[in-house]
Amino acid sequence: MGEFDLIRRYFQRPAAAGVEVGVGDDCAVLVPTPGARWLVSSDMLVEGRHFLSTVDPARLGHKALAVNLSDLAACGATPRGFTLALALPRVDEAWLAGFARGLWALADASGCPLIGGDTTQGPLNLCITVFGEAPPGQALLRSGARVGDEIWASGRLGDARLALEVFRGTVALGGDAFETVRAAMECPTPRLALGQALRGIATAAADVSDGLLGDLGHILAASGVGARLDVDALPRSAVLAAQPAALQRECLLAGGDDYELVFTAPAGARMPDVGVAVTRIGRIEAEPGLRVVDASGAEVRHGLRSFDHFQE
Amino acid sequence: MGEFDLIRRYFQRPAAAGVEVGVGDDCAVLVPTPGARWLVSSDMLVEGRHFLSTVDPARLGHKALAVNLSDLAACGATPRGFTLALALPRVDEAWLAGFARGLWALADASGCPLIGGDTTQGPLNLCITVFGEAPPGQALLRSGARVGDEIWASGRLGDARLALEVFRGTVALGGDAFETVRAAMECPTPRLALGQALRGIATAAADVSDGLLGDLGHILAASGVGARLDVDALPRSAVLAAQPAALQRECLLAGGDDYELVFTAPAGARMPDVGVAVTRIGRIEAEPGLRVVDASGAEVRHGLRSFDHFQE
């Protein structure tokens, strides 16, 4: 099968609403919503770094789009479309069919159509760029946190890292427990509805991709503030809560790959109810730096840091 | 140097006009021109396939953006910005400095700022996604060619392929001649001004990336027409014109990597003068298929086909 047959078979569909020209021309052509701002984000996934070569291709298709949609969610954007650039070592139709199935399922569920891209031969690499919209001045940025704001996290943190430790062989988990955390790692849910509902409520937001310490750290740096973070308040699954305390803290604080939202809001702000739990995990302070404390208020020495692709 | 230092040093600048938020948040935020359509294209470049590992990194930075801008040019779009996702085997500061210099030079010259992206460790891979604008109904598409239209090409074709043959060792060329064709291969010029000037004149357009036969073939397929192409009329450099006839035809018809525009316009249409030559190379016909003829009108049997990443 050639490059163009491959595109036609797996990645081409009739253009969706708001898409004048989709896959198959030099550019896609989109009709913007009058007055809206355009939001753009791009993420590249490399085999062996962002995913294991053995991962179910449908789950990989889901995740490749999910991590990008998570950036739109962190900014409170409404998805409008995405491009997919794909380097494949060879044409493996069973793999492509699975990958495309997972990708389209999330695209359909998110109202975010595939509008263009590129395919080439090369070491397996997936690059997705997503486009979304938000009303002027309402995109959630990292720079808006103010002293006295409360810090919140959505969903549960740390399960993806726990699953990675099982794959690495440092942790043993039984069947159901493993499948729970493995699904968190392989099938993250981008918090699009929550992000959109937080427009006008959250003062700053980011998604937890590199680890809570790092991603909250980006908010603190961009906002010029510090914070106190209650590690015992961090939302976690029953599976993670059954692990040793040090491992829990590592997964919660430095795990990454969570794709939950961490955000700040004025104290007492009413949280939106969109079917996803949000938990208050700390407070913005004037003193620079990020202080991790336990439930008693005592500072926790952790020595953990955020994920960095070039410093390991 | 870590991932975030690398981004700050080489890829972060103050946000350009029309960019509310640039590199450094979860998403970039752009202010669209009221009423304009948004055009998007994405291209992925893999070491060893799209470029040689020995290429000057500044030229590679130029080319990675140029091949994407060429898609905007083919649609008559005005550039607005681009994202860069970059997988690097290691942090090589000299390489990065050169790459960033070539990239920014073309970005500045094209009014197309870098607004976001991603960096990760992995086999060298560059994925750029470009965004542009065009007035409603004025984007140049592949589907508008009509029987009787004339077919045009910009600039000169075939030099990039000739340079590739020199690198492959199948052709020998002296110093100046080699540098000329090598520059065509490594430093293509996206025809942005021509593309924009062709709005309202061209009925269909594409850029020549996979080879003229293939890219003109896309126009014919999308427009439901056929064509007659005069191989002797194809614009070529003096260097290419000095090569054997069969090699010339191979480079002109199936070379690819030209990043010139091939477009159709009604017979007698006045061509815009934007400082780039355009040459009439054929005519759209009702009979399906692409007939290559010589200056005498005799059909040329060529057996050539367009580049396909999975059929070589």
Side-chain angles (χ1 to χ4, degrees), chain B residues 104-157:
Chain B
W104 281 108
L106 182 59
D108 290 343
S110 310
C112 189
L114 176 61
I115 58 167
D118 193 17
T119 55
T120 182
Q121 203 275 337
L124 187 55
N125 185 308
L126 317 167
C127 182
I128 286 183
T129 307
V130 283
F131 321 101
E133 292 180 326
Q138 292 196 36
L140 306 178
L141 305 180
R142 295 176 176 173
S143 51
R146 298 289 170 259
V147 174
D149 282 356
E150 293 172 328
I151 306 170
W152 296 78
S154 68
R156 296 188 293 215
L157 301 171

Side-chain angles (χ1 to χ4, degrees), chain B residues 48-76:
Chain B
R49 291 197 72 77
H50 301 89
F51 58 91
L52 304 172
S53 59
T54 53
V55 69
D56 170 11
R59 287 190 164 193
L60 181 60
H62 172 100
K63 184 167 177 176
L65 180 55
V67 305
N68 278 279
L69 289 172
S70 181
D71 286 311
L72 290 184
C75 291

Side-chain angles (χ1 to χ4, degrees), chain B residues 152 193-199 201-202 263 265 269-278:
Chain B
W152 296 78
L194 178 62
Q196 292 164 40
L198 286 172
R199 291 179 193 159
I201 297 175
F263 59 95
R270 187 185 172 86
M271 287 295 119
D273 179 7
V274 294
V276 53
V278 292

Side-chain angles (χ1 to χ4, degrees), chain A residues 1-6 20-21 24-33 35-47 49-50 68 70-75 77 83-91 115-123 125-131 136-137 139-143 205-207 209-210 215 218 222 306-312, chain B residues 1-6 20-21 24-33 35-47 49-50 68 70-75 77 83-91 115-123 125-131 136-137 139-143 205-207 209-210 215 218 222 306-312:
Chain A
M1 183 167 49
E3 179 180 354
F4 298 103
D5 290 328
L6 184 161
E20 280 190 349
V21 178
D25 212 299
D26 288 294
C27 294
V29 182
L30 292 147
V31 185
T33 301
R37 295 292 185 260
W38 267 83
L39 285 83
V40 177
S41 185
S42 189
D43 272 308
M44 179 174 266
L45 276 70
V46 176
E47 184 175 31
R49 291 197 73 78
H50 300 89
N68 277 280
S70 182
D71 286 311
L72 289 183
C75 291
T83 56
L84 166 69
L86 189 60
L88 298 169
R90 72 202 71 81
V91 176
I115 58 167
D118 195 15
T119 55
T120 182
Q121 202 275 336
N125 184 307
L126 316 168
C127 182
I128 286 182
T129 307
V130 282
F131 321 101
L140 306 178
L141 304 179
R142 295 174 177 176
S143 51
D207 71 326
S209 54
D210 294 332
D215 293 307
H218 292 316
S306 179
F307 185 76
D308 185 308
H309 280 288
F310 296 105
Q311 288 184 331
E312 286 164 88
Chain B
M1 182 168 49
E3 179 180 354
F4 298 103
D5 290 329
L6 183 162
E20 280 190 350
V21 178
D25 212 298
D26 288 294
C27 294
V29 182
L30 292 147
V31 185
T33 301
R37 294 293 185 258
W38 267 84
L39 284 83
V40 177
S41 185
S42 190
D43 271 308
M44 178 174 267
L45 277 70
V46 176
E47 184 175 32
R49 291 197 72 77
H50 301 89
N68 278 279
S70 181
D71 286 311
L72 290 184
C75 291
T83 57
L84 167 69
L86 190 58
L88 298 168
R90 72 202 70 81
V91 175
I115 58 167
D118 193 17
T119 55
T120 182
Q121 203 275 337
N125 185 308
L126 317 167
C127 182
I128 286 183
T129 307
V130 283
F131 321 101
L140 306 178
L141 305 180
R142 295 176 176 173
S143 51
D207 71 326
S209 54
D210 293 332
D215 294 307
H218 292 316
S306 180
F307 185 76
D308 185 308
H309 279 288
F310 296 104
Q311 289 184 330
E312 287 164 88

